Amino acid sequence: MRAGKHVWTTAAVTVVCAITVLAAPGTAFADPGPSPSPGTPGASPSAPAASPAATPGKDLEAVRKKLDQLYRQAALATEEYNAAEEKTDQQSAQLVELAKKIVKGQEKLDGLKERAGAAARSQYRTGGLPDEAKLMLSDDPEDFLDGTGRVVQGQRATKGLIGEMTRTQEDLKTYAADAKTRFEKLEANRKAKAAAQKKVEKQIKAAEKLESELEQEEKERLARLEREAQERAQTAWLGSGILKDLDGEATEQGRKAVEYATAQVGKPYQWGAEGPKAYDCSGLTSQAWVAAGRTIPRTSQQQWQQLKRVDVEDMRPGDLIIYFDDASHVGMYIGDGSVVHAPRPGRSITIAGAGSMPILGVVRPDTGTTGQE
């Protein structure tokens, strides 16, 4: 690869231009919270799975389960998008830093070339005669010898400059190769994001179509079925005696996070949103903890993987409850057996029973102690 100023400047500008386009703010999609789906006795096993809303006297329990399935699939696709989104954000930032290094490296190389050129011109002006002739023509041999020493020093300095120029050129080559590799990975993740986005939109569109086929009275009955399913699950959870052990007091940061999250109740769910007008489930929990002074991972799966895990019996207000075996949904425990969460598309942020959905586990964003610890 040539190390000339034009080539390197062009490379840097190309990288910067590419990054400007690729790093433009995009929607940061996150895990939509699916409707809870505890089984209900009496559901008809023979109800058509493809379009239960299309038959007379439709089985609304089958419709509820089908909707739950569609939103669960949307949640999984959203996690794929989230993973790609996280990588593209990181890679875009890395490319920006590489572009800065390329520009600075080129500026340094230009300066070194100028210094080397000045040194060469100086040596040329004093180097026209052999040393013996200069000695004979010199009025003061000592001055000549002093001048000779300075020339030797200058030659050594010039050699050092050349060595530094060579190292700088090699650095620029390395930066350019690294930028090319990262750019290719960024492009691959952009494609993965686009594919995941299509999956999410497909599942949500199918769910919305299914709901649109219902009459108003059926929609109301369906909403009741959803609430009843949540209540049954919550009742069973509380029946285990879990609340007797849930006496953990929140930390100051935990209280701030709960205050932020509960203040958003009533705002709409929007997948990929992080406020302030709408949120998805992990957008709500991550922003609540940002408001409390702590940055946590953006997605529910990353929160499950990276944050400290605690037993359900030990959770305290501010802890995050991760739901479903794929960690595709998250809510914030607020005490008294309740959670605040952003459920799914078409729903608003609400307070629900902490046990109204299948719990995978609990994670703790802060490690501060409470008055009881």
Side-chain angles (χ1 to χ4, degrees):
M1 181 177 295
R2 296 200 304 268
K5 178 178 180 180
H6 175 72
V7 174
W8 286 113
T9 303
T10 301
V13 171
T14 301
V15 173
V16 172
C17 290
I19 293 163
T20 301
V21 174
L22 295 173
T27 309
F29 296 78
D31 7 3
S35 302
S37 58
T40 302
S44 172
S46 59
S51 182
T55 58
K58 59 186 70 68
D59 185 346
L60 286 180
E61 179 62 16
V63 173
R64 185 186 69 80
K65 289 182 177 180
K66 180 61 178 179
L67 285 171
D68 179 71
Q69 178 187 7
L70 290 171
Y71 283 120
R72 294 280 291 110
Q73 291 170 347
L76 290 173
T78 300
E79 278 302 306
E80 293 177 22
Y81 185 97
N82 291 337
E85 179 70 16
E86 287 290 308
K87 289 180 182 178
T88 54
D89 287 346
Q90 294 170 2
Q91 289 163 350
S92 294
Q94 290 166 353
L95 275 172
V96 169
E97 291 305 311
L98 279 172
K100 290 178 180 177
K101 288 182 179 179
I102 289 173
V103 172
K104 289 181 179 179
Q106 185 60 55
E107 291 173 350
K108 179 180 179 182
L109 183 60
D110 292 342
L112 290 171
K113 284 183 177 180
E114 180 60 31
R115 289 170 58 193
R121 289 190 296 272
S122 176
Q123 290 181 32
Y124 175 77
R125 286 194 298 269
T126 60
L129 292 173
D131 287 344
E132 295 83 354
K134 292 178 186 177
L135 178 60
M136 291 178 66
L137 295 173
S138 173
D139 294 332
D140 189 338
E142 289 185 6
D143 287 346
F144 168 76
L145 293 175
D146 289 343
T148 300
R150 287 194 294 272
V151 169
V152 171
Q153 292 176 356
Q155 289 174 339
R156 289 174 179 170
T158 300
K159 185 177 180 181
L161 281 174
I162 293 173
E164 191 171 357
M165 285 171 57
T166 301
R167 289 191 295 272
T168 301
Q169 289 172 330
E170 291 300 319
D171 287 343
L172 285 171
K173 289 180 182 180
T174 300
Y175 296 153
D178 195 6
K180 180 176 182 294
T181 299
R182 293 183 185 278
F183 186 84
E184 290 171 349
K185 291 181 178 179
L186 181 59
E187 283 291 286
N189 279 316
R190 288 183 67 224
K191 292 178 181 178
K193 282 170 53 180
Q197 181 176 347
K198 288 181 179 179
K199 290 181 184 178
V200 176
E201 292 172 345
K202 178 181 178 182
Q203 299 303 329
I204 292 179
K205 185 176 180 180
E208 290 174 343
K209 181 178 183 299
L210 182 57
E211 288 183 291
S212 71
E213 295 172 352
L214 298 174
E215 300 293 338
Q216 183 59 36
E217 187 271 338
E218 291 172 327
K219 291 179 181 178
E220 293 172 357
R221 287 171 53 204
L222 180 62
R224 286 198 298 273
L225 286 175
E226 290 180 352
R227 289 194 299 271
E228 289 169 2
Q230 293 172 2
E231 290 167 0
R232 284 194 299 272
Q234 176 72 353
T235 299
W237 185 67
L238 294 176
S240 67
I242 190 72
L243 276 184
K244 284 187 273 187
D245 296 320
L246 290 180
D247 56 359
E249 182 183 349
T251 62
E252 182 177 353
Q253 275 192 316
R255 284 194 294 273
K256 289 180 179 178
V258 169
E259 288 172 3
Y260 181 96
T262 53
Q264 313 311 312
V265 169
K267 292 183 179 181
Y269 175 102
Q270 180 180 327
W271 65 297
E274 298 179 84
K277 295 182 178 180
Y279 298 82
D280 59 23
C281 68
S282 59
L284 176 65
T285 55
S286 60
Q287 288 303 303
W289 272 99
V290 166
R294 180 170 175 78
T295 300
I296 65 172
R298 169 65 175 87
T299 72
S300 60
Q301 290 186 336
Q302 290 172 329
Q303 290 168 2
W304 173 241
Q305 293 167 358
Q306 299 178 29
L307 297 179
K308 177 185 177 181
R309 298 182 185 181
V310 297
D311 292 336
V312 175
E313 294 81 1
D314 297 329
M315 68 180 173
R316 64 194 184 198
D319 287 348
L320 306 183
I321 304 180
I322 309 298
Y323 292 100
F324 303 102
D325 57 6
D326 53 15
S328 59
H329 189 64
V330 61
M332 179 180 291
Y333 185 64
I334 61 175
D336 295 326
S338 298
V339 65
V340 59
H341 72 136
R344 65 168 175 81
R347 299 290 185 267
S348 299
I349 296 172
T350 188
I351 293 175
S356 60
M357 295 168 283
I359 295 176
L360 175 62
V362 178
V363 293
R364 178 162 294 165
D366 70 331
T367 56
T369 59
T370 69
Q372 298 182 0
E373 294 177 317

